[in-house]
Amino acid sequence: MVGTSHDRLSGTGGLPMKTATADQRVKPPEQRPRRAHPWAWFFLAPAFLVLLTFDYWPLLRTFFLATQGTDLFGAPSGFVGTDNFELMLTDPRFWNTILVTFIYTGASVVGKVLIGLAIAIPLSSRLKGTPLLRSIVLIPMAVSVAVAALVFKMMFQPGTGLFDQISGLFGAGPAGWLTQPQMALLAVVIVDVWCGLGISVLLLLAALDGVPEEVMEAAQIDGTGTLQRLWHVKLPLITPTLFFILITQSIAGMREFTVINLLTGGGPGTATNTLVIDIYKTAFGSGTSDYGAAAARGIVLLLIIVTLTFIQMRVLERRVHY
Amino acid sequence: MSNTTKTPKTMGTSKTTERSSAQRINWRSTPTYVYLTVVALLVAGPVLFAFVGAFTPTGTIIGGGAPWFTAWTLENFSTAFRNSPLLAQFGNSVLVTLAQASLQLVTSLMAAYALVFGNLKRPNLVLAFFLVTMMIPSETTIIANYLTIRSIGLFDTLIAVFIPFATSAYAVFLFRQAFKSFPKEIHEAAVLDGVGPVAFLFRFLLPLNKPIVMTISLVSAIAAWNGYLWPLLITESPSSRTVQVGVAALSDSLSVDVGSVLAGLAFVSLPMLILVIFGQKFLTKGLTQGAVK
């Protein structure tokens, strides 16, 4: 349960970057057996209790729920083994959901990284006045996803919204932002990219600023052009950060609910029906309430997130590049 | 926390900047400026749109879309407040945010302190207990948590909104990293002098780690204020909704009154905009450390 509290900002669906190396420290040198201070467990207790109640226990319960059938009234109808998984995996709608989830996540991660770079690179070139610009770019971090989604929804309104009005100036008709399947998917990606832009630019700026001046000067003396330096020197030097953004934002994208729920509710049809939206609808949607099927989908989400986190730890052990 | 990462801000005003920008007065960087200004406008666009629209008489928000600077009004705000319990929900959100952020702070401070100074036999195992939870997506456990909250009778209460987030493994981890650099000998000496663990935590560790405490409080508060899925699920009556869920309902009910919806949205986003502007230093520092080598 804890994951949600920070993921949008710091992308901590995954582990922070230093975990992998931080713990391989030397063992404490002392010879006598260690005995915990009596107060230590008392200090750990509140946090333990919360995590046990709202993370570990519900995780177990989710696995249990996934083996339970559901009757017409939404009440559990007893043990059904792997039925929920079999039904899910043979349902073409489920595979469509997975496809939509990956397209949505992939597109928004690519958007965040590319647009993030397009903003961070010129910003990091140490011009006068950039502190102000740097602050402005952080604005998306301050605006809640719900508010952002609702503002964009207004701008996406067919005909009267800002986007259709602007395209109208060029003689184009309404684009069907939230009503055409592909446009709707594009719309939710745009909003998600905007929401994640602040943190993406922030991290990229810190990385770009961290590239030592001497390295760039050396490259310049060697007679490389600006673009060459960018491509062959700067970008390789910030690959750890690029990778960090890639993974954490992938995790965030896989888990995004607010943007899609508020803009399209998963529609039109199933065009924006991602895994998380599907879990929510299956468990709490109007009419249906199938906790078993929803729990099975929840476990799929868990597997995806755990996989992404392990990739992150693996690659970090190898120290992406330097 | 004592990371070598330089914040963008300090770099932006470093000596090299002043020198180079004084040398070539900018003709070459004009395109960059133009480009960056356009980018800034695009990024800030939705927020500008909301704030300008919030003060524009609804009729003159052309076609319900683009707001223009024709006249100013506060009418939109009063309409929004009249048509929805947004003010009361604002109060709910303040309560939830304060409760969640302070609980996270206290529980994770205590846990991190025990991890570093508690002389635990297997501290890494205990740390793993925290870190593993960061891999569990709350969307997976949401059904089970919903059932738990219902069965203990907390459904549709404000407590239900923040209690699952009463601690944060991420905060525990960050505090632990910060505390680890504190000399163990000082702790031993203080304990020998009869300083109790609670006193040590509050009199030594907290004052010495103010920046990270600020950062974590800020991040916790923002996350608490911005919560959407869980509050949407676990509350039902308008009077126990948080402001994020409330403003979504407002936007549905007043969808033709664009100005009032934008007023509601501007109102809801104001506290965090202010907090982020003033806490920018702590945010940039805290969020980039750990991510940038």
Side-chain angles (χ1 to χ4, degrees), chain A residues 175-188:
Chain A
W177 278 106
L178 299 175
T179 47
Q180 295 294 322
Q182 278 158 8
M183 293 304 277
L185 192 53
L186 179 62
V188 287

Side-chain angles (χ1 to χ4, degrees), chain A residues 142, chain B residues 269-280:
Chain B
S269 53
L270 203 56
M272 287 303 129
L273 275 171
I274 293 171
L275 211 59
V276 167
I277 289 168
F278 283 105
Q280 198 188 336

Side-chain angles (χ1 to χ4, degrees), chain A residues 249-309:
Chain A
Q249 290 304 320
S250 293
I251 292 174
M254 290 284 168
R255 298 176 50 190
E256 184 53 49
F257 172 81
T258 313
V259 169
I260 301 170
N261 183 56
L262 284 173
L263 277 169
T264 64
T270 54
T272 56
N273 198 48
T274 60
L275 192 51
V276 171
I277 296 285
D278 202 37
I279 294 172
Y280 182 79
K281 278 187 177 169
T282 311
F284 310 108
S286 54
T288 58
S289 155
D290 191 339
Y291 294 147
R297 283 158 177 73
I299 289 169
V300 173
L301 178 71
L302 175 76
L303 291 178
I304 295 175
I305 304 296
V306 169
T307 309
L308 284 170
T309 313

Side-chain angles (χ1 to χ4, degrees), chain A residues 5 17 23 56 128 134 144 160, chain B residues 8 33 63 129 176 223 244 290:
Chain A
S5 33
M17 230 182 170
D23 296 319
Y56 284 100
K128 246 188 185 172
R134 283 170 181 234
S144 75
T160 58
Chain B
Y33 272 121
F129 177 88
R176 169 186 175 270
Q244 304 292 338

Side-chain angles (χ1 to χ4, degrees), chain B residues 142-205:
Chain B
I142 196 166
I143 307 152
N145 276 327
Y146 171 81
L147 296 173
T148 305
I149 292 291
R150 284 216 89 127
S151 65
I152 54 178
L154 284 177
F155 183 74
D156 204 21
T157 63
L158 284 185
I159 298 177
V161 176
F162 65 79
I163 201 72
F165 307 102
T167 197
S168 156
Y170 182 59
V172 171
F173 176 79
L174 287 185
F175 278 136
R176 169 186 175 270
Q177 297 299 95
F179 292 169
K180 264 171 61 173
S181 57
F182 191 90
K184 281 247 163 54
E185 299 75 36
I186 297 186
H187 179 253
E188 300 297 329
V191 169
L192 284 179
D193 281 349
V195 179
V198 178
F200 184 79
L201 178 57
F202 285 98
R203 293 221 320 258
F204 289 81
L205 278 182

Side-chain angles (χ1 to χ4, degrees), chain A residues 6-20 105 108-110 112-113 117 196 198-207 235-253 308-309 311-317 319-322, chain B residues 3 5 134 170 173-174 283-293:
Chain A
H6 294 107
D7 52 273
R8 169 61 60 181
L9 282 175
S10 50
T12 45
L15 298 171
M17 230 182 170
K18 282 190 296 194
T19 344
T105 306
S108 68
V109 169
V110 169
K112 283 171 198 170
V113 171
L117 280 172
I199 184 72
S200 168
V201 171
L202 179 69
L203 293 173
L204 289 171
L205 270 177
L235 285 185
L237 280 170
I238 64 165
T239 41
T241 303
L242 286 174
F243 182 74
F244 181 81
I245 297 175
L246 205 70
I247 295 284
T248 52
Q249 290 304 320
S250 293
I251 292 174
L308 284 170
T309 313
I311 294 175
Q312 183 188 7
M313 295 194 312
R314 249 297 139 75
V315 177
L316 282 181
E317 267 168 33
R319 239 44 205 126
V320 178
H321 114 96
Y322 50 139
Chain B
N3 217 5
T5 317
M134 292 171 67
Y170 182 59
F173 176 79
L174 287 185
L283 265 183
T284 39
K285 216 180 203 158
L287 295 181
T288 50
Q289 79 125 15
V292 178
K293 201 221 95 169

Side-chain angles (χ1 to χ4, degrees), chain B residues 92-289:
Chain B
N92 287 345
S93 278
V94 170
L95 276 177
V96 165
T97 302
L98 287 177
Q100 183 168 320
S102 38
L103 278 171
Q104 278 192 4
L105 201 61
V106 171
T107 54
S108 50
L109 266 177
M110 287 167 64
Y113 177 51
L115 268 173
V116 177
F117 297 103
N119 215 17
L120 297 169
K121 212 172 186 179
R122 308 282 300 275
N124 285 347
L125 201 67
V126 180
L127 180 69
F129 177 88
F130 286 103
L131 292 184
V132 163
T133 65
M134 292 171 67
M135 278 194 276
I136 308 173
S138 57
E139 294 77 12
T140 294
T141 50
I142 196 166
I143 307 152
N145 276 327
Y146 171 81
L147 296 173
T148 305
I149 292 291
R150 284 216 89 127
S151 65
I152 54 178
L154 284 177
F155 183 74
D156 204 21
T157 63
L158 284 185
I159 298 177
V161 176
F162 65 79
I163 201 72
F165 307 102
T167 197
S168 156
Y170 182 59
V172 171
F173 176 79
L174 287 185
F175 278 136
R176 169 186 175 270
Q177 297 299 95
F179 292 169
K180 264 171 61 173
S181 57
F182 191 90
K184 281 247 163 54
E185 299 75 36
I186 297 186
H187 179 253
E188 300 297 329
V191 169
L192 284 179
D193 281 349
V195 179
V198 178
F200 184 79
L201 178 57
F202 285 98
R203 293 221 320 258
F204 289 81
L205 278 182
L206 261 190
L208 286 170
N209 287 288
K210 258 189 204 146
I212 183 90
V213 173
M214 287 294 291
T215 302
I216 289 176
S217 315
L218 213 56
V219 173
S220 295
I222 294 173
W225 182 266
N226 291 350
Y228 179 75
L229 170 54
W230 180 247
L232 171 72
L233 183 63
I234 212 65
T235 60
E236 196 174 39
S237 49
S239 61
S240 49
R241 291 293 205 191
T242 60
V243 80
Q244 304 292 338
V245 183
V247 81
L250 171 79
S251 145
D252 273 345
S253 68
L254 284 180
S255 58
V256 279
D257 188 353
V258 180
S260 299
V261 175
L262 291 177
L265 291 169
F267 173 68
V268 169
S269 53
L270 203 56
M272 287 303 129
L273 275 171
I274 293 171
L275 211 59
V276 167
I277 289 168
F278 283 105
Q280 198 188 336
K281 192 180 78 185
F282 296 107
L283 265 183
T284 39
K285 216 180 203 158
L287 295 181
T288 50
Q289 79 125 15

